[in-house]
Amino acid sequence: MGELVQLRRIAKPSFEDGGQAPLDPQSSIPDPRTPNPDPQSSTLDPRSSILNPQSSILNPPSSILDPQPASRIAAISARLEAKRGKHYWRSLEELADSEEFQEVLHREFPENATEWNDPAGRRKFLKLMGASLALAGFAACTRQPAEQILPYVRQPEEIVPGRPLFFATAMPLAGYAIGLLAESHEGRPTKIEGNKDHPASLGATDVYSQASVLGLYDPDRSQSLTNLGEISTWSAFLGAIRPQVEAQRALASQPSPASQPLAGGGGLRILTETVTSPTLEYQIKTLLATIPTAKWHQYDPAGRDNVREGAKLAFGQYANTVYHFDKADVVLSLDSDFLASGPGSVRYARDFANKRRLSEEKHEMNRLYVVESCVTSTGSIADHRLPVRASEVEGVAREIFGKLGTGQPGASNKPEGEKWAEAIANDLDKHRGSSIVVAGDSQPANVHSIAHVMNGALGNIGKTVIYTDPVEANPVDGNSSLRELANDMEAGKVDLLLIVGGNPVYDAHADLDFGERIRKVKLRIHLSLYNDETSELCQWHVPEAHYLESWSDARAFDGTVSIIQPLIAPLYSGKTAHEVLAAFMNEPERASYDIVRDYWMKRYAAGGQPPPIKAQAATAQKTASGSGSSAQPATSGQAPQSATGGFEAFWRKSLHDGVVGKTAAPIKPFAPTGILNSRSAFSTPLPDLTQFTQPPPSKPGLEIVFRADPTVFDGRFANNGWLQELPKPLSKLTWDNAAIISPATASRLGVGKDVNGLATNKIGNIGGDIIADEVELEYQGRKVRAPVYILPGQPDDSVTVHLGYGRTKAGRVGNDAGFNAYAIRTSDAPWFGSGLQITKTGTTYTLAATQIHHAIDTEDLKARDIVRSGSLAELKKNPTLAPEHTREEHGAGSLFPKWEYKDYAWGMSIDMSSCIGCSACVVACQAENNIPVVGKEQVARSREMHWLRIDSYYKGSENNPETYFQPVLCQQCEDAPCELVCPVAATVHSSEGLNDMVYNRCVGTRYCSNNCPYKVRRFNFLLYQDFYTASLKMMRNPDVSVRSRGVMEKCTYCVQRIQKAKIESQKEDRQVRDGEIATACEAACPTQAIVFGNINDPASRVSKLKKEERNYSLLGELNTKPRTTYLGVVRNPNPELEHA
Amino acid sequence: MQDDSKSITPDRTISPPSVLGEGLTFASVTDKISTIALSKRTPLWWFVGAGVSFSLAMLLFYTIGYLVLTGIGIWGNNIPVGWAWDIINFVWWIGIGHAGTLISAILLLLRQQWRTSINRFAEAMTLFAVASAGLFPLLHTGRPWLAYWMFPVPNTMGLWPQFRSPLIWDVFAISTYASISALFWFVGLIPDLATLRDKSKNQAAKIVYGMLAMGWRGSARHWHRYETTTLLLAGIATPLVISVHTIVSFDFAVGVIPGWHATIFPPYFVAGAIYAGFAMVLLLAIPLRKLYGLEDYITMRHIRNMSKIMLATGLIVAYGYMMETFTAWYSSNTYEEFMIKNRFFGPYAAQYWTLIFCNVVAPQLLWLKRVRHSIAAVFVVSLIVSVGMWLERFIIIVVSLQRDFLPSSWGMYQATKWDWSMFLGTIGLFLSLMFLFVRFLPMISIFEIRGILPQAEVKESEG
């Protein structure tokens, strides 16, 4: 990443001076806004058009084809030729459906290519190649309107083949954006990095953004617009909806007769996910103004309704909360997984880790208390963690609040709760203005309200907690919004339903019966990435453009706006939400580029304020009378430069930086009424907590907790193989969700395997399989079958189920993985509820886990010194954190003289104190290094391919163990056991200390893996790579070889990045600078736990970290001399609770 | 040979059970053994046995085809258990192959006359076992078509094998062993092939045996060269018996994995190999002598001697197990201690205790004269030992890898049907070759038996 910064510095002045545009936009991004009925815009093979949109001018299909061989391509071409003029194909798919074309697409080599040894044959082959390129790139037959996107770093004129460009963009997830840089190789986005300038990223990423590249190239994505399941066209779609929209418009413009009951909303409904996009907001609101009877519903299955409602409860209006964990010494989390989920989590993790990190100068740490109902990453790294049932969190919160001196009655029914509350209250009290109380998204509004009041009482507001206006375009309670829609559908009030993104048929609450009720809507339209469960029930399905294919905008957790710019033309002629809404506003030809740019032009003209919403009645009338094609707006991309000069600079800068300047929401002085001055006295009476309904009395019996899945989220990533195979942070399960219960509850239910009176998961026989008992979960009369996973630290009598599984129409990857927890999730208890019944079914289910042993303080394992840990106080006594028995490293005991690494010596330091187990590094590594997905059966056989894994270990009681995360990648041993045993020298040591792997030389004896004490080597037991799916070929990193079967592979510290930096440095005749090389894992890490660099340079960050006393080598006594070393875990427990 | 018998004479007169049965003559020996190979009538049991073996061999070829097309993922191997049945079977077969050379070479040098009746088919067994064994290191690689890279083949890229790897030592050790064994076996066959050539009535057989006999006419010069060659080959083969399994044991001993990294491995592996080898010779000899009526040639004395060798090597192996456990305790090394605990009480404890029963407990029966004298009992014990030796390799390879250093990487292992088909297939291949051998070649050395007949002795003393 350092390199990017540096390059940006070079690139920046060139356009800030008003110089040349850094990049000729035509050459980098094909035209995503060409009118769709014209098939030329749909890119069959995006490579060709990206490489050079003009290519087909150079090679017009008719001229290059040799008619003599009567090749099929020629036939197609001839057909196309014949169809020129007004007879366009109705869609590319129609063309693509023809047998000949299919064959051209699917043949590995063009016909006759096998004759290429023969000189004559080779010539023909080249001709055919040219022809197929030309065929795929007809795009250039149309005029290319200019759409400019700006590269992040590089000089404008040069696209050097083989050198990637970086473009700033942003990924929206459930509405909120995270700013990213997308690495583009000759027009193909291959890798996502964080954007250092974006407040939600600061250069880091989360798993979802890392995996989004695979989402883009997913061959299962919806590839065509369909009507009643038949492939159709955009123009047919426009033709079909226009009368319907006009009817609605007419209905709305009529004075409502008494007989027409419009009070409940008119016939047109729009259902979106959470919207933060200013442009989309403007569009929807304009549409609503034009058709006042229309209604806008928002729903996110894993949305933040409680957060919004909690703020409303505390402040009387919706507000957005932004936390400054970098200023907080004490943090109390009330069931909040703020480090690993939610809009600002990447940023929060960075801030939190910075405040926590120890260094030579900094000897203080923050302290984290977590009260939680599930086992989360945040809870796992807490200094004190109190597992309680979800319904008891409010009681604990009230009790702590009570102990703060408010006199409010405590309601915790945990015996340890009182002591806890006392200690936390004391600690919070000592850190007024530098503490944070944060409530979890799944806790009810009351708890959020208590958190706000506590932050107010502690004087944190304005310091560590700030409030702004909501970031959402239209904050609503999604739960009730969806319920209203469902009821209206039931009542037959909905004529036309436009579903923009989302998959409500799958993920709506079970009691809303969405799948049944949606059938009562006359016309249903679904815009989505996949032809999914909802699409199946809609007459029209419009394929959505992936964010890497779209022009759009979105806001981050603090309100900062990013313009989303596409990296590639839509692979499958997908449409953005903007384009679909434009169609509803009689602007069917408008491309999202124009829509977004026009919006920002207006906003720029208005001095940065959102432009006023005006009904578009006049336009509508005009365009409705005219033909659709004349609806091209006057302000399209070709606006005169003089008029938009200032805007142009603003636009370019916004695109380049990835953030629109000064758009962070301004701080609003919200405060809950009443501030606590001291522990006993109030300046103003505290808000009567009874205004919040009393917590529901905790009912005995089992509770169920619903959570978004840590990898597939709410189900939208179910077809993403990287995320499916990404082990869940603690359970290390892949490809499945499970009913997670505590060991004690498992014992009581008689599930799992009993080991000395303790229930544990039953390990299978084939590698990483867990033979889980299946149970039937019955909740509010609905039933679902689920395998049980026993997780230490889970509160007793509480069952956590993760959403997002059990998809039936996700695609080849996601179908039939796991069970559908939505089937028992109801709108009155979306996050948790009591009264769950569990019945053992007597059957078992195989789960695939990448780690099946987590305990490290059993008698056998204590001496292994795998994780060094201790409290801050212990660290002062024993700065190395080494256990007493530690064997002195007999490092010098070699007969051979030590090899001298003269130039560079690469090394890595991993601070386990900072690691939160979020797994962004794992997916980043997978994306960077072309690591294949192997599937559940192979994971169960313990053959997953991740080069980097995050081990999780437990210490202490199984009810609430201490948890440690340890990222393990190739340790790059100086005396590597693997190198010694390879019979063909396929793994050898480099002069810079890297343990290189020569894939081409490997014959696959697996001896190296056997002899690796860290078991970081991965073997291609079968052909795991998909060499045949065209779209996946585009995804791969061209700098890393794609391994076939029978070959061993492993981490190389991203040697391709090292080499690139070395080449750059050699050109400038200098050493590689510290920080210039960031390995993929390091770059992605939100907490900067991973640091890579040259250990020969004593000033490098990694050298300094390795000099710290708590630096240690994993299995150091084996004398492997690893280059990767770890910093022991330091926790900062409260002495008051130490002996609890 | 003739010299040998002189020195052995006093022994033979003392030892009550003779090496050969009574009343054999030069002619009867020649007839008896050569008829088996030359007879036109093949017994029914041969067809049944060969049929089953051929079927299994076909299964092997099918498995190999599927394996090469699909990848070794069809087996149960995984990470951490990178080697499993592939290497278990390899070591097991190589171990079995040991007895042949030991009998031919070492016992020859030690002038043990009783070896004569069994050395021919023990050598054949060695060859076929090595052939079966050799399949595994080749096919267990991820890309078997590139396995030749393990040989020092001069190439334009200047790439060379990595000579520090025990696998390279293996390549040399096993290929040398296979060549020497084949040579030894074939040289030993030449005089008998000439006998078959001479006795054969069938023209085609005459030609084939004639070519194989390489113009042997039995002249003194021939015999002299034969003797010299045999002695030289025996001299070369003798260290190989020790070296091959020593080097195979290095595959493990050089590794850092607890359970592998042990200095006791070379002698312990060699003893284990001889142990397994003799068990297999017995398993083959007992039915053969019964079916072909060779009780006069493979006598109780052979069976008893081999039982004693089994007992002795079995005790060495037991000592090996004991020392592994002792070292783990004595070293106070966590990993070693855990490795032993995992063997004793871990998920594969059943296999470990079965191994102890098979290799340590069961052979103790051989102390009893009654057991040594019972053909059935010896057969059963040999069978148990063969199973035990297979399990020993399972314990060493799978159970050591399964739980090594980092608990996060621990895993389980289970063989798939393809592991079974590969293993059964090599048994099929081995037996098929054995069946062909007993049908078409003299399974007992005719001229050597003649050499130790009392008549030969008399003749010698006269001369």
Side-chain angles (χ1 to χ4, degrees), chain B residues 140-446:
Chain B
H140 99 293
T141 60
R143 306 197 285 175
W145 49 92
L146 297 177
Y148 72 91
W149 285 352
M150 286 193 259
F151 290 97
V153 182
N155 59 72
T156 51
M157 292 179 288
L159 284 168
W160 217 233
Q162 206 273 99
F163 287 102
R164 291 182 302 167
S165 170
L167 287 188
I168 289 297
W169 312 341
D170 255 5
V171 168
F172 289 106
I174 289 163
S175 51
T176 314
Y177 185 59
S179 348
I180 296 293
S181 302
L183 212 55
F184 202 6
W185 177 69
F186 181 70
V187 168
L189 263 174
I190 287 176
D192 282 358
L193 286 168
T195 309
L196 291 184
R197 172 197 62 195
D198 298 342
K199 286 186 68 77
S200 169
K201 308 236 168 18
N202 179 319
Q203 193 57 34
K206 265 188 195 305
I207 291 171
V208 173
Y209 288 126
M211 284 168 74
L212 290 173
M214 300 178 94
W216 178 272
R217 295 185 310 281
S219 74
R221 191 175 291 249
H222 282 175
W223 279 111
H224 174 251
R225 291 194 176 145
Y226 170 83
E227 291 293 336
T228 317
T229 313
T230 321
L231 273 175
L232 275 176
L233 284 174
I236 297 171
T238 301
L240 283 180
V241 177
I242 307 297
S243 73
V244 172
H245 230 61
T246 300
I247 285 169
V248 168
S249 81
F250 285 165
D251 288 351
F252 309 105
V254 167
V256 299
I257 300 300
W260 284 15
H261 193 58
T263 44
I264 198 172
F265 265 34
Y268 158 44
F269 262 58
V270 171
I274 296 166
Y275 188 35
F278 273 93
M280 186 53 85
V281 173
L282 279 167
L283 282 180
L284 295 174
I286 289 172
L288 277 181
R289 77 194 274 273
K290 180 83 191 150
L291 289 166
Y292 280 116
L294 296 173
E295 283 90 348
D296 282 345
Y297 300 86
I298 305 169
T299 60
M300 279 315 288
R301 177 160 168 208
H302 291 107
I303 289 168
R304 266 170 260 164
N305 280 1
M306 288 197 277
S307 300
K308 284 177 192 163
I309 292 183
M310 259 170 64
L311 182 58
T313 47
L315 288 172
I316 300 176
V317 168
Y319 173 79
Y321 300 151
M322 202 180 75
M323 285 317 290
E324 273 189 317
T325 312
F326 171 79
T327 313
W329 168 78
Y330 189 69
S331 69
S332 298
N333 181 311
T334 318
Y335 308 106
E336 296 286 335
E337 283 171 3
F338 178 80
M339 178 270 294
I340 289 295
K341 271 190 204 163
N342 192 42
R343 283 185 186 178
F344 283 9
F345 312 112
Y348 299 102
Q351 282 87 334
Y352 182 77
W353 295 113
T354 313
L355 148 75
I356 294 296
F357 168 79
C358 293
N359 280 2
V360 180
V361 179
Q364 302 312 318
L365 291 172
L366 296 174
W367 286 106
L368 304 174
K369 206 171 189 177
R370 247 193 21 222
V371 174
R372 290 201 304 272
H373 282 237
S374 154
I375 299 238
V378 170
F379 188 80
V380 169
V381 169
S382 304
L383 200 60
I384 291 176
V385 168
S386 289
V387 172
M389 285 311 292
W390 191 92
L391 282 172
E392 179 199 297
R393 279 68 180 243
F394 180 88
I395 297 294
I396 290 173
I397 295 170
V398 170
V399 181
S400 302
L401 287 172
Q402 178 235 349
R403 292 181 174 176
D404 59 350
F405 295 99
L406 295 180
S408 64
S409 304
W410 290 357
M412 299 289 284
Y413 168 80
Q414 193 174 46
T416 64
K417 60 179 179 201
W418 295 108
D419 284 299
W420 281 99
S421 68
M422 188 86 188
F423 180 46
L424 294 176
T426 49
I427 292 177
L429 176 71
F430 174 80
L431 289 179
S432 302
L433 293 170
M434 263 336 263
F435 273 107
L436 290 175
F437 163 72
V438 298
R439 179 65 188 81
F440 297 112
L441 291 172
M443 75 182 95
I444 293 172
S445 175
I446 302 170

Side-chain angles (χ1 to χ4, degrees), chain A residues 438-459:
Chain A
V438 51
D441 293 4
S442 59
Q443 282 296 321
N446 280 349
V447 176
H448 286 269
S449 191
I450 295 170
H452 291 307
V453 174
M454 279 167 82
N455 279 324
L458 290 164

Side-chain angles (χ1 to χ4, degrees), chain A residues 216-385:
Chain A
L216 168 68
Y217 295 113
D218 187 348
D220 288 352
R221 257 176 69 192
S222 164
Q223 307 197 356
S224 47
L225 193 150
T226 58
N227 177 22
L228 301 169
E230 302 281 326
I231 292 178
S232 185
T233 64
W234 178 241
S235 52
F237 168 70
L238 294 176
I241 60 156
R242 180 158 306 156
Q244 302 285 336
V245 179
E246 287 312 318
Q248 291 299 323
R249 203 187 303 272
L251 209 62
S253 57
Q254 282 164 12
S256 156
S259 58
Q260 204 83 32
L262 288 173
L268 170 61
R269 301 299 176 91
I270 302 167
L271 174 62
T272 65
E273 300 177 288
T274 307
V275 172
T276 63
S277 160
T279 306
L280 191 61
E281 172 189 6
Y282 178 73
Q283 280 187 296
I284 295 178
K285 285 190 173 162
T286 305
L287 180 64
L288 295 178
T290 313
I291 310 179
T293 52
K295 275 200 118 182
W296 176 13
H297 301 273
Q298 288 181 70
Y299 171 68
D300 252 309
R304 311 185 78 213
D305 293 342
N306 287 334
V307 181
R308 284 189 281 269
E309 295 307 310
K312 201 173 179 187
L313 195 59
F315 312 122
Q317 56 180 308
Y318 287 120
N320 180 43
T321 317
V322 178
Y323 299 99
H324 284 285
F325 288 101
D326 51 341
K327 295 177 189 156
D329 292 314
V330 175
V331 178
L332 168 62
S333 154
L334 299 169
D335 211 3
S336 169
D337 188 15
F338 64 90
L339 293 175
S341 67
S345 58
V346 172
R347 165 64 178 266
Y348 290 159
R350 168 71 55 90
D351 287 348
F352 181 83
N354 282 343
K355 189 75 181 164
R356 196 170 182 76
R357 185 171 291 117
L358 292 170
S359 65
E360 273 175 40
E361 305 86 47
K362 186 168 163 292
H363 302 287
E364 297 301 315
M365 292 172 74
N366 57 9
R367 183 171 292 147
L368 173 62
Y369 300 94
V370 176
V371 181
E372 64 177 1
S373 61
C374 301
V375 184
T376 67
S377 293
T378 306
S380 301
I381 70 151
D383 299 305
H384 290 286
R385 175 179 181 274

Side-chain angles (χ1 to χ4, degrees), chain A residues 763-769 850-856 859-861 863-866 887 938 941-943 949 951-953 966 968 977 979-985 999-1007 1009-1015 1017-1019 1021-1024 1045-1048 1114-1115 1117-1118, chain B residues 67-84 86 140-147 149-150 155 157 159-168 250-257 260 334-335 338-339 341 348 401 403-416:
Chain A
I763 292 164
N765 294 323
I766 60 172
D769 55 332
T850 58
Q851 184 183 352
I852 50 181
H853 296 273
H854 299 266
I856 47 167
E859 277 308 312
D860 293 325
L861 301 181
R864 300 201 171 190
D865 192 20
I866 294 168
R887 298 133 290 217
Q938 292 294 309
R941 284 212 171 269
S942 199
R943 293 173 181 172
R949 61 172 197 260
D951 292 346
S952 70
Y953 290 114
Q966 183 172 49
V968 181
E979 290 168 7
L980 174 72
V981 298
C982 176
V984 291
Y999 305 118
N1000 285 346
R1001 178 68 176 168
C1002 177
V1003 297
T1005 65
R1006 303 183 297 293
Y1007 199 173
S1009 169
N1010 288 341
N1011 211 28
C1012 173
Y1014 310 96
K1015 291 287 175 282
R1017 293 179 154 262
R1018 297 289 177 254
F1019 188 67
F1021 284 93
L1022 297 167
L1023 184 62
Y1024 294 135
R1045 81 162 155 101
V1047 175
M1048 189 64 76
L1114 188 58
L1115 304 175
E1117 77 277 14
L1118 294 181
Chain B
L67 179 81
V68 172
L69 287 175
T70 317
I72 67 132
I74 63 170
W75 293 339
N77 302 39
N78 57 23
I79 307 287
V81 187
W83 287 347
D86 43 359
H140 99 293
T141 60
R143 306 197 285 175
W145 49 92
L146 297 177
W149 285 352
M150 286 193 259
N155 59 72
M157 292 179 288
L159 284 168
W160 217 233
Q162 206 273 99
F163 287 102
R164 291 182 302 167
S165 170
L167 287 188
I168 289 297
F250 285 165
D251 288 351
F252 309 105
V254 167
V256 299
I257 300 300
W260 284 15
T334 318
Y335 308 106
F338 178 80
M339 178 270 294
K341 271 190 204 163
Y348 299 102
L401 287 172
R403 292 181 174 176
D404 59 350
F405 295 99
L406 295 180
S408 64
S409 304
W410 290 357
M412 299 289 284
Y413 168 80
Q414 193 174 46
T416 64

Side-chain angles (χ1 to χ4, degrees), chain A residues 55-75:
Chain A
S55 64
S56 45
I57 290 177
L58 297 173
N59 309 315
S62 52
S63 70
I64 189 128
L65 277 176
D66 186 356
Q68 205 269 333
S71 83
R72 296 203 167 112
I73 297 169

